[in-house]
Amino acid sequence: MAEHDLNMPAQEGARSRLPAVVIGNRHLTIEDVVAIARDAHPVSLCADTAWRDRIERGAQFLRERLAAGATVYGVNTGYGDACQVSVPAALVEALPLQLTRYHGCGMGRYLEPAETLAVVAARLNSLAHGYSGVRHLLLQRLADLINHRILPRIPAEGSVGASGDLTPLSYVAAALVGERDVLFAGRQQPAADAWQQIGHAPITLAPKEGLALMNGTAVMTGLACLAYARAEHLIRLSARLTALATVALDGRAAHFHPTIFHAKPHAGQAEVAGWIRDDLAQWDDASAHRVQDRYSIRCAPHVIGVARDAQSWIRRDIENELNSANDNPLVDPDTKEILHGGNFYGGHIAFAMDALKTAVANLADLMDRQLALLVDDKFSNGLPRNLSGATAERAPINHGFKAVQISSSAWTAEALKLTMPASVFSRSTEAHNQDKVSMGTIAARDCLRVLELTEQVAAAHTLAAVQAVRLRCRLDPSIQVPAPVQAFIARVGALSSFVTEDRPLESDLRTVALAIEQGRLGDEQGSHHDRT
């Protein structure tokens, strides 16, 4: 994956002109998180005084319970299996900092800036529900992380997804108290230095605030929001590439006739067929080489439609998690109750990400099969071997997209290999207190890797399909290429030129893959959120 905004100072002015995403007292969407994480929108806390009052009443009620001698898990007790250990009153204030420190054991790659911002936004929104017993000041400081792009360096590995994302979220908590490193002003530096530069002192965590920050599903949920958005672009692009492959192979638009999909009424499948049908408007089947195109063309709506239909419930579950209070215990300032439960369990995100990565890997497989048809002159209905654009004299030494197809096959195989569900690999941990865990964060990370690989396959297929349509037009200049296909070819052509003589295509592939990741290809008709 490509690294995005590294918080360069010149970006501050541009960011301040973007509309703020309001946090608190409203339903946050996947698109809100993406706007914060990838599009540099700032956040603002809800201005409603009743909402702010409820936040403060939760923190005050918790203080009152402690003053009355009540026992509250993780506030005046040890953590996890140590919940039976009483913490003396003199040490209660020190307990949150201890939690952040001993969980500082993450490993693996560091989350990218966009991923980090999505995580912080998810945590902030959860705490803004007013069930966590934290101060409004804590929410302000989380908003500061986003708005000033003070980005905790969060290692990706170390969470089992219940009791939430403890270890990775400890890096967010540590940044707030001025410990560990952050990315700020374009460089890695101590968190305390970053706070000093914006005129704030690091926060001192109140009782439960360390637990409230860390004991939740923000890492898996933030990553899931980004994964969903990337998958949405791939779904649309794979439909468009099917249209290009149909043109390139002299295939049949009739395979996408609406009656076929009325007879088997999966809504997403019918919608995908409609996209392909629109892209093939005015395409003439009269010269088609076969009565029926091969499955990877003819059945493309049935493959892509699975992912499209799954979007509805995957969106529902991600946004339910995003808009939940998912730490423990919950503090209800209205009923004056402290409720010990398990909302930190990330099972819904785990299952959603396991499903999404499988649906996306199937897109990779579909696109790889279409690409294989295009490059093979035994199946491409007259296209040059390996889509070589070389002249007849130079044809013997040119191999066109041969190696690209080999690489695409490798990326597809790796994506398919990663579809093993993470959610079934629960492990008993933490002295058998956390004896059933979700593995939601591992599922989300797997999904992002599958997306990355599938975007690479899509980049290969995009270049090959554009090359193939151009070659088909060279073979038969009378072909009327549908306007949407022509427009797409022109956009891709601005990124990668026609391959006449063999050349290294890595740079072209990286450029196109980045455009796909950022949603700049295959989605010019706009997002399709009406059904999801």
Side-chain angles (χ1 to χ4, degrees):
M1 287 174 281
E3 287 220 352
H4 299 283
D5 172 19
L6 287 179
N7 184 40
M8 300 305 292
Q11 295 168 334
E12 291 287 347
R15 192 158 54 241
S16 67
R17 292 191 293 271
L18 294 169
V21 175
V22 176
I23 303 289
N25 210 25
R26 63 177 289 267
H27 179 88
L28 206 66
T29 66
I30 289 171
E31 289 69 37
D32 288 329
V33 174
V34 173
I36 294 165
R38 303 206 67 155
D39 301 330
H41 285 252
V43 299
S44 63
L45 298 181
C46 177
D48 181 65
T49 54
W51 170 80
R52 177 168 178 163
D53 176 66
R54 189 173 189 279
I55 296 293
E56 294 293 0
R57 283 191 291 112
Q60 178 59 32
F61 170 59
L62 185 61
R63 288 191 291 268
E64 292 169 357
R65 294 299 296 150
L66 290 176
T71 298
V72 181
Y73 166 75
V75 179
N76 55 7
T77 75
Y79 297 114
D81 184 61
C83 63
Q84 302 302 320
V85 176
S86 296
V87 175
L91 295 177
V92 166
E93 297 288 338
L95 185 61
L97 188 59
Q98 294 296 113
L99 177 67
T100 70
R101 286 175 172 168
Y102 79 79
H103 269 288
C105 57
M107 291 291 284
R109 72 173 180 90
Y110 289 98
L111 297 188
E112 295 176 7
E115 294 170 335
T116 301
L117 287 163
V119 167
V120 176
R123 194 76 226 119
L124 172 57
N125 196 57
S126 179
L127 299 181
H129 278 73
Y131 283 103
S132 299
V134 302
R135 297 165 294 165
H136 188 266
L137 175 63
L138 186 70
L139 306 186
Q140 289 177 302
R141 289 295 174 266
L142 284 168
D144 286 337
L145 292 181
I146 294 171
N147 291 337
H148 293 281
R149 291 315 195 252
I150 300 173
L151 306 182
R153 295 285 280 160
I154 304 175
E157 299 170 11
S159 173
V160 294
S163 171
D165 291 313
L166 291 167
T167 288
L169 286 175
S170 77
Y171 290 79
V172 176
L176 292 175
V177 302
E179 296 189 357
R180 302 182 207 168
D181 284 347
V182 297
L183 283 177
F184 178 67
R187 64 185 179 88
Q188 184 172 324
Q189 57 184 291
D193 292 353
W195 288 115
Q196 183 180 39
Q197 291 172 62
I198 68 166
H200 286 311
I203 198 171
T204 299
L205 296 174
K208 193 180 181 290
E209 287 185 341
L211 189 60
L213 285 165
M214 294 166 51
N215 185 223
T217 59
V219 177
M220 67 181 81
T221 303
L223 298 183
C225 289
L226 298 179
Y228 182 96
R230 289 169 69 175
E232 186 165 51
H233 298 315
L234 276 170
I235 289 167
R236 183 64 185 90
L237 178 59
S238 59
R240 171 138 295 158
L241 292 174
T242 297
L244 264 76
T246 300
V247 172
L249 293 168
D250 251 353
R252 292 184 172 273
H255 294 320
F256 313 109
H257 192 286
T259 301
I260 297 172
F261 301 93
H262 176 74
K264 187 176 183 181
H266 294 293
Q269 176 179 283
E271 188 174 20
V272 171
W275 296 345
I276 300 171
R277 196 163 56 246
D278 290 345
D279 282 351
L280 292 175
Q282 311 308 315
W283 178 245
D284 186 1
D285 285 4
S287 65
H289 284 70
R290 293 167 57 91
V291 174
Q292 293 190 146
D293 291 331
R294 289 176 173 82
Y295 282 19
S296 62
I297 305 297
R298 183 173 15 132
C299 300
H302 306 75
V303 178
I304 305 167
V306 173
R308 180 61 178 152
D309 276 314
Q311 281 186 281
S312 58
W313 69 264
I314 291 173
R315 172 183 285 274
R316 179 201 68 197
D317 286 1
I318 292 173
E319 290 190 349
N320 279 343
E321 194 72 35
L322 178 65
N323 290 282
S324 70
N326 48 59
D327 57 313
N328 172 61
L330 298 181
V331 177
D332 190 332
D334 297 326
T335 63
K336 303 294 185 181
E337 292 178 290
I338 294 178
L339 304 166
H340 295 85
N343 279 7
F344 49 71
Y345 189 86
H348 281 82
I349 295 294
F351 191 73
M353 291 295 96
D354 277 345
L356 185 60
K357 72 187 184 187
T358 300
V360 169
N362 265 298
L363 299 182
D365 196 37
L366 177 76
M367 290 185 285
D368 183 58
R369 294 301 83 213
Q370 292 180 353
L371 172 55
L373 293 178
L374 293 173
V375 300
D376 193 333
D377 60 341
K378 294 187 294 297
F379 304 105
S380 65
N381 298 331
L383 292 176
R385 182 183 295 111
N386 296 311
L387 302 178
S388 172
T391 61
E393 296 78 12
R394 300 282 295 174
I397 63 169
N398 275 274
H399 293 78
F401 281 75
K402 177 189 282 289
V404 170
Q405 193 273 325
I406 294 170
S407 293
S408 175
S409 185
W411 302 326
T412 300
E414 187 172 348
L416 296 171
K417 178 179 73 68
L418 290 173
T419 57
M420 174 71 75
S423 55
V424 299
F425 285 94
S426 176
R427 308 283 296 166
S428 183
T429 187
E430 205 261 306
H432 295 292
N433 175 54
Q434 299 177 5
D435 58 348
K436 175 61 178 169
V437 294
S438 75
M439 299 300 180
T441 308
I442 295 173
R445 290 194 293 105
D446 280 351
C447 188
L448 288 171
R449 176 59 178 155
V450 169
L451 281 159
E452 181 180 31
L453 290 161
T454 303
E455 287 160 356
Q456 292 172 190
V457 174
H461 189 14
T462 295
L463 295 181
V466 167
Q467 176 93 352
V469 173
R470 287 171 165 167
L471 288 168
R472 179 64 65 188
C473 291
R474 194 165 77 177
L475 291 169
D476 183 359
S478 68
I479 285 179
Q480 297 297 309
V481 177
V485 172
Q486 290 182 17
F488 182 77
I489 289 172
R491 293 211 314 280
V492 175
L495 304 175
S496 174
S497 61
F498 182 77
V499 181
T500 302
E501 283 283 318
D502 288 347
R503 68 175 191 264
L505 288 173
E506 178 188 346
S507 178
D508 303 62
L509 288 164
R510 288 188 184 276
T511 298
V512 173
L514 180 60
I516 292 168
E517 180 191 347
Q518 296 176 343
R520 293 187 282 113
L521 281 180
D523 200 29
E524 78 286 352
Q525 293 180 1
S527 297
H528 303 276
H529 300 147
D530 53 309
R531 198 171 55 78
T532 56

